[in-house]
């Protein structure tokens, strides 16, 4: 059997909804054994977040829970608490996104877990950290607002706009997975576990890159610019005959090629557009002249022509067309986890020395409770590999 980077790592996943489950799915895709702990009878909140529905659950739940085992434990029940502590004692990693401090009432907090398992990587995901923001509920939409992302998203004269996916949860999930891997490496060097903490607000602020740098450099907060770039022009969605075309021109040589392809060579020598700084200052007039020509052909026609001369551009696709485009480039964006689950987006990491874990479907609620509890009772017992497709129910 092929060895994967996270083979042998056992993850006790006490998280729900998106950021935590996304992080643990990444670890499962890389070979980790992930045991998802859920509430009896209800499970992860997202199991009921439909439509749309799949054969066994909601599409939302299944999007971030493939490759895991599900067990049900009532953390308020003393026997189930004991089972949770046995799981912690055998795990390499624990991931939780309860409100900070709330697991202490069950004896599952970091301090207690460290006594049970000093080598444990205990990972806490919150909305606003474990200090003054500890009691604030952490919803992605609210963090996009408080963290400034909505202030730079949307049209200049329009309302502030959230991103069309819970991007802060996804970013935080990636940060959590990265922190876990770094902590595992530290444990390999020192023999010690530690407490890894990430929060949605900090992950968002860290992701703002050049926009945050602009604020820190000038003291002026960037504002909404629609699809335009604050530092580059043309870098926006331009209207063609039938659709919009995203065009990104990063230097003067690219601008010359763009103008030549559009039959607008006169713009190259126009002092209003001779340099990027001038193009930024005169972007409205530049966009008008470009769209006068682009409007004569379809976005697909212009995409083919401009890509042919090395211009970064692309039609604004819907999600279906985006998948087909990735496949046309020889990429493998999708994966079939089997077992009645819908097709899913593949973890976008390829390694030269090994492939990826064999995909297994998101688990039914409590599907593996009996197996995992038996494993916890017998230190000599090993968990059997997950099967690629669930047997007919």
């Amino acid at each position: 059997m092929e060895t994967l980077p996270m083979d042998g790592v056992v993850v006790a996943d006490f998280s729900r909804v998106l950021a935590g489950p996304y992080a643990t799915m990444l670890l499962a895709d890389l070979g980790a054994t992930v045991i998802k702990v859920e509430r009896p009878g209800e499970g992860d909140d997202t199991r009921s977040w439909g439509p749309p529905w799949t054969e066994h659950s909601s599409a939302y739940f299944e999007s971030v829970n493939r490759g895991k085992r599900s067990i049900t434990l009532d953390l308020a029940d003393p026997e189930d608490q004991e089972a949770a502590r046995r799981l912690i004692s055998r795990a390499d990693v624990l991931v939780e996104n309860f409100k900070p401090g709330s697991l202490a009432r069950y004896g599952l907090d970091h301090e207690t877990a460290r006594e049970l398992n000093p080598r444990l990587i205990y990972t806490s995901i919150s909305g606003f950290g474990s200090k003054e923001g500890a009691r604030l509920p952490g919803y992605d939409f609210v963090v996009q607002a408080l963290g400034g992302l909505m202030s730079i998203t949307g049209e200049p004269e329009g309302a502030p706009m959230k991103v069309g996916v819970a991007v802060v949860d996804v970013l935080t999930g990636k940060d959590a997975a990265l922190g876990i891997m770094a902590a595992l490496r530290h444990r390999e060097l020192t023999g010690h576990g530690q407490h890894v903490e990430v929060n949605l607000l900090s992950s968002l602020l860290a992701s703002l890159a050049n926009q945050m740098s602009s604020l820190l450099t000038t003291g002026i907060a960037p504002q909404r610019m629609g699809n335009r770039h604050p530092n580059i022009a043309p870098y926006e969605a331009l209207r063609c005959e039938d659709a919009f075309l995203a065009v990104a021109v990063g230097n003067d040589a690219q601008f010359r090629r763009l103008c030549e392809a559009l039959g607008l060579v006169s713009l190259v020598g126009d002092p209003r557009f001779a340099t990027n700084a001038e193009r930024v200052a005169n972007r409205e007039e530049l966009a008008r002249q470009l769209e006068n020509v682009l409007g004569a052909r379809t976005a697909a026609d212009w995409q083919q022509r401009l890509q042919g001369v090395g211009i970064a551009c692309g039609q604004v696709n819907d999600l279906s067309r985006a998948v087909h485009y990735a496949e046309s480039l020889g990429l493998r964006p999708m994966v079939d986890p089997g077992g009645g689950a819908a097709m899913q987006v593949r973890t976008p990491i390829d390694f030269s020395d090994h492939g990826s874990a064999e995909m297994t479907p998101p688990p039914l609620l409590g599907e593996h409770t009996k197996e995992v509890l038996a494993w916890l009772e017998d230190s000599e017992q090993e968990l059997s590999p997950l099967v690629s497709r669930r047997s007919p129910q």
Side-chain angles (χ1 to χ4, degrees):
M1 182 178 293
E2 195 167 35
T3 300
L4 296 168
M6 302 295 287
D7 274 351
V9 174
V10 175
V11 179
D13 182 5
F14 287 81
S15 68
R16 304 94 72 208
V17 188
L18 186 51
Y22 186 82
T24 56
M25 183 184 70
L26 294 178
L27 300 178
D29 282 353
L30 296 173
T33 296
V34 177
I35 299 171
K36 183 176 180 68
V37 179
E38 302 189 70
R39 293 170 295 179
E42 299 179 15
D44 190 313
D45 295 342
T46 61
R47 285 187 181 273
S48 63
W49 285 12
W53 306 100
T54 68
E55 181 180 345
H56 297 290
S57 189
S58 72
Y60 194 120
F61 171 83
E62 294 203 346
S63 71
V64 289
N65 283 291
R66 64 173 177 256
K68 304 177 185 179
R69 291 170 168 83
S70 169
I71 67 171
T72 54
L73 296 177
D74 178 359
L75 298 184
D77 179 87
E79 289 188 10
D80 284 2
Q81 286 178 20
E82 180 56 33
R85 283 189 280 271
R86 288 199 301 272
L87 175 59
I88 290 171
S89 70
R90 295 190 64 173
D92 298 286
V93 175
L94 182 149
V95 178
E96 60 90 10
N97 59 353
F98 286 74
K99 283 187 178 180
S102 61
L103 280 178
R105 75 177 74 130
Y106 307 124
L108 303 174
D109 54 296
H110 170 245
E111 293 302 320
T112 304
R114 184 172 61 180
E115 293 177 4
L116 292 169
N117 183 355
R119 290 173 54 82
L120 182 71
I121 309 303
Y122 191 107
T123 309
S124 298
I125 301 173
S126 65
F128 301 95
S130 58
K131 297 180 181 178
E132 285 80 1
R135 294 302 170 188
L136 298 176
Y139 286 91
D140 178 283
F141 174 51
V142 175
V143 176
Q144 288 196 37
L146 288 169
L149 182 58
M150 289 175 63
S151 76
I152 57 172
T153 306
E155 293 299 328
E157 303 305 320
M161 192 65 61
K162 74 177 182 68
V163 178
V165 71
V167 65
V168 183
D169 276 325
V170 173
L171 288 168
T172 307
K174 287 180 178 285
D175 283 347
L178 178 62
I180 288 166
M181 292 178 189
L184 286 170
R185 173 58 175 158
H186 178 263
R187 188 182 75 174
E188 182 181 302
L189 296 172
T190 67
H192 302 303
Q194 62 181 299
H195 193 185
V196 175
E197 295 184 81
V198 296
N199 67 81
L200 273 64
L201 181 58
S202 293
S203 286
L204 171 57
L205 294 176
S207 74
L208 293 176
N210 60 300
Q211 292 283 48
M212 184 60 76
S213 181
S214 179
L215 167 66
L216 298 176
T217 301
T218 67
I220 300 171
Q223 301 299 308
R224 295 187 299 281
M225 298 184 65
N227 291 312
R228 289 176 168 170
H229 194 287
N231 313 112
I232 309 171
Y235 195 107
E236 58 190 283
L238 298 168
R239 187 181 295 276
C240 300
E241 182 182 60
D242 62 335
F244 282 93
L245 185 74
V247 177
V249 173
N251 57 51
D252 293 342
Q254 292 175 11
F255 182 64
R256 175 182 290 276
R257 293 202 301 274
L258 173 68
C259 292
E260 290 172 347
L262 298 180
L264 291 171
V265 179
S266 62
L267 296 186
V268 176
D270 190 319
R272 296 173 299 174
F273 313 126
T275 67
N276 178 69
E278 293 298 332
R279 293 193 292 273
V280 169
N282 296 284
R283 67 168 88 239
E284 293 286 352
E285 176 60 19
L286 177 59
R288 187 187 69 80
Q289 297 208 33
L290 295 176
E291 288 187 333
N292 282 342
V293 175
L294 291 169
R297 294 177 179 269
T298 67
D301 288 341
W302 284 121
Q303 176 178 316
Q304 183 176 17
R305 176 176 294 198
L306 296 180
Q307 285 183 343
V309 296
I311 301 300
C313 67
Q315 180 175 331
V316 178
N317 287 330
D318 62 20
L319 298 187
S320 178
R321 292 176 65 98
V323 170
H324 291 313
Y325 182 68
E327 291 173 339
S328 76
L329 299 178
L331 302 177
R332 297 179 294 123
M334 310 307 293
V335 64
D336 180 5
M343 292 288 289
Q344 297 185 0
V345 179
R346 188 178 71 92
T347 295
I349 304 172
D350 292 308
F351 298 94
S352 62
D353 288 350
H354 47 73
S356 56
E358 184 176 11
M359 291 297 102
T360 58
L364 299 174
L365 178 59
E367 181 177 352
H368 306 93
T369 301
K370 183 177 180 180
E371 173 195 3
V372 172
L373 291 180
W375 171 71
L376 292 175
E377 291 287 351
D378 184 355
S379 61
E380 300 299 319
Q381 182 176 332
E382 293 186 2
L383 286 170
S384 59
L386 285 173
V387 295
S388 61
R389 287 186 180 271
R390 187 182 298 123
S391 301
Q393 300 298 306

